[in-house]
Amino acid sequence: ISGFLITWLLVFENDRSGHINLKHFYARRALRILPVYYAFILTLVCLQLFTVYTQSVSAWIGNLTFTTNFVTANVWPSGHLWSLSVEEQFYLLWPPMLVFICAKNTRMLMFLLTLPVFIAPICRALTVMVWNGQHCPEFLVKYYPFITVILKPLLPYYSFFNYFDSLAIGCAGAIVFARRRAVAETFLKANALLAGLVALALILLPYVLGKLAWLDIIVWPLGYTLQAIDFSILLLQSIVLPYWGFYRVLNWSWVCHIGVLSYSIYIWQQLFASGSETFGFRSVWWMSFPGWLIPVFIVAMISFYGFERPLFRLRSCFREV
C-alpha cells in the first residue's frame, strides 16, 4: 500500500506540474514519519532509565538511524521498526529514480521495478544458507565460511534486500494504474471473481506449502513475492470495485478510521504487546492479548489527534499539487 500510494502521488505530481520536487517530498515524509517515531524512541529511553527494560547499544543505533532491519539484536519492544526501516531505505532510492530517469518513461521504470522481484528471492535463499547453514550448493561448500563472512552483515533476516520487492510491486501497481488504468480496470472488472479468488488462493499457498518442511527453501524465498503480487491485485481491485463483495467493508467509516490511525497504531502497539514483565511491571490485563488492543487504540488516537494531525497543515506547505 505504501509503495502504491507514494508512487501514485509522485507520478500525479509529475503529470500535473511537469516535475517532482524531491525536497518537498522528503520534507513531507519527515513531517509524517519522524515526530511520532522519535517520540516513541524517547519513550523507550524513559523506560530504560526508569524500569528494568534495556536494549543494546547496537539496537539503539539501529532505532535512531532507521537501520533496525540490519541489526540482529533481538529486542521485542522496538523490533517492529525493521519494517519502517526497509520502507525509508527504499524511499531514499526510488523517488530520485523517478526524477532522474523521468517519471514518464514507463518502460524503464517498470524494468527497474522488476529487478527487486528477481533479486529479493535470491537474497532470501542466501539468508537461509548463511544463517542456518542449510541448502548450500555442493560446489560452494568449501567457500562457505568466506561467503558467510561477506553476506551475513548484508543479509540478516530483516534485511532491506529480503523485502524491497514488496514495495517495488506496490510501486509497479501505481504505474500501471497511472499509465494503463483503462486496461487494468477493464480486466479487473471483467474478471472480478476469478482475479479475487486466484489472488486469495495464492496468498494462502505459501502457508500451505510451508507445512511441507522440504519445501522451505522454495516457500520462503518465493512466498513473500507471490503474496505481494496477490495483495497488489486485491488493492487495485478494491479501487476499481470499491463496493463489490468484501471491498465494501473497507469503506465502512470505522474501518476507514483505523486506516487513518494505522501509522500511530503501528508505532505504539509494540509497547503494550511486549508483556508487563519486559518492564518489570506486575501482570496486568491491558498488556496481554486481547486486552492490549484497548490501550493501543487510546494511545494511537492521542498520538494522532494531539501530536501528528497538527503537523498536517505544515506538511501541506510542501505539497505542490
Side-chain angles (χ1 to χ4, degrees):
I1 291 175
S2 178
F4 178 90
L5 181 59
I6 292 298
T7 303
W8 175 266
L9 293 174
L10 289 174
V11 171
F12 185 68
E13 178 184 343
N14 184 80
D15 291 347
R16 288 290 299 272
S17 64
H19 71 285
I20 295 172
N21 191 318
L22 283 180
K23 290 182 180 179
H24 285 188
F25 168 77
Y26 287 119
R28 293 193 303 269
R29 290 296 297 174
L31 287 169
R32 181 67 186 104
I33 299 297
L34 297 185
V36 66
Y37 181 88
Y38 283 113
F40 174 77
I41 297 300
L42 180 60
T43 302
L44 290 181
V45 171
C46 293
L47 286 169
Q48 178 150 324
L49 289 175
F50 300 111
T51 74
V52 300
Y53 173 72
T54 185
Q55 63 179 40
S56 66
V57 172
S58 62
W60 282 117
I61 293 173
N63 295 163
L64 291 170
T65 60
F66 286 96
T67 55
T68 298
N69 56 323
F70 284 106
V71 177
T72 55
N74 186 19
V75 183
W76 178 258
S78 65
H80 64 310
L81 301 179
W82 74 267
S83 56
L84 185 60
S85 298
V86 171
E87 181 177 315
E88 296 309 296
Q89 291 157 16
F90 188 87
Y91 292 131
L92 288 176
L93 301 173
W94 176 238
M97 289 183 182
L98 280 172
V99 171
F100 297 117
I101 294 174
C102 179
K104 291 186 179 296
N105 192 338
T106 304
R107 182 170 297 181
M108 177 58 70
L109 292 176
M110 292 300 287
F111 170 74
L112 290 173
L113 290 171
T114 59
L115 294 179
V117 175
F118 290 100
I119 294 172
I122 295 172
C123 289
R124 288 193 287 267
L126 289 172
T127 297
V128 173
M129 186 182 79
V130 300
W131 284 94
N132 290 358
Q134 298 176 346
H135 312 295
C136 182
E138 191 67 33
F139 69 94
L140 290 178
V141 169
K142 66 177 181 178
Y143 303 108
Y144 180 76
F146 178 71
I147 294 171
T148 300
V149 169
I150 294 176
L151 293 183
K152 268 195 172 183
L154 294 174
L155 295 176
Y157 274 96
Y158 297 123
S159 169
F160 169 80
F161 302 103
N162 285 341
Y163 293 96
F164 70 141
D165 56 331
S166 296
L167 283 156
I169 290 166
C171 296
I175 292 175
V176 168
F177 234 45
R179 300 284 181 254
R180 303 287 186 271
R181 179 158 185 163
V183 175
E185 282 197 18
T186 300
F187 174 80
L188 291 172
K189 287 180 178 178
N191 302 278
L193 183 59
L194 178 62
L197 290 176
V198 169
L200 284 173
L202 292 179
I203 287 171
L204 296 173
L205 183 63
Y207 292 108
V208 176
L209 295 180
K211 299 298 182 181
L212 305 174
W214 59 274
L215 283 177
D216 61 342
I217 190 59
I218 299 174
V219 174
W220 197 66
L222 296 179
Y224 287 115
T225 302
L226 188 64
Q227 289 179 333
I229 293 172
D230 302 331
F231 272 115
S232 293
I233 293 172
L234 295 177
L235 171 62
L236 296 181
Q237 195 173 49
S238 72
I239 296 171
V240 301
L241 296 168
Y243 296 105
W244 179 74
F246 173 77
Y247 300 131
R248 72 182 63 184
V249 174
L250 301 178
N251 292 283
W252 292 353
S253 60
W254 65 271
V255 176
C256 292
H257 190 62
I258 291 175
V260 170
L261 297 175
S262 60
Y263 178 59
S264 309
I265 293 171
Y266 163 83
I267 287 292
W268 296 105
Q269 50 90 23
Q270 207 83 345
L271 291 180
F272 301 96
S274 296
S276 54
E277 67 280 356
T278 304
F279 309 108
F281 302 153
R282 62 182 180 83
S283 180
V284 288
W285 65 268
W286 46 269
M287 291 191 74
S288 59
F289 185 82
W292 60 259
L293 293 174
I294 296 174
V296 165
F297 275 95
I298 293 173
V299 172
M301 286 190 288
I302 294 172
S303 175
F304 180 78
Y305 290 106
F307 185 45
E308 300 166 57
R309 194 176 184 182
L311 294 172
F312 285 7
R313 183 175 297 177
L314 183 58
R315 286 175 63 209
S316 67
C317 297
F318 299 98
R319 196 176 298 281
E320 297 184 15
V321 180

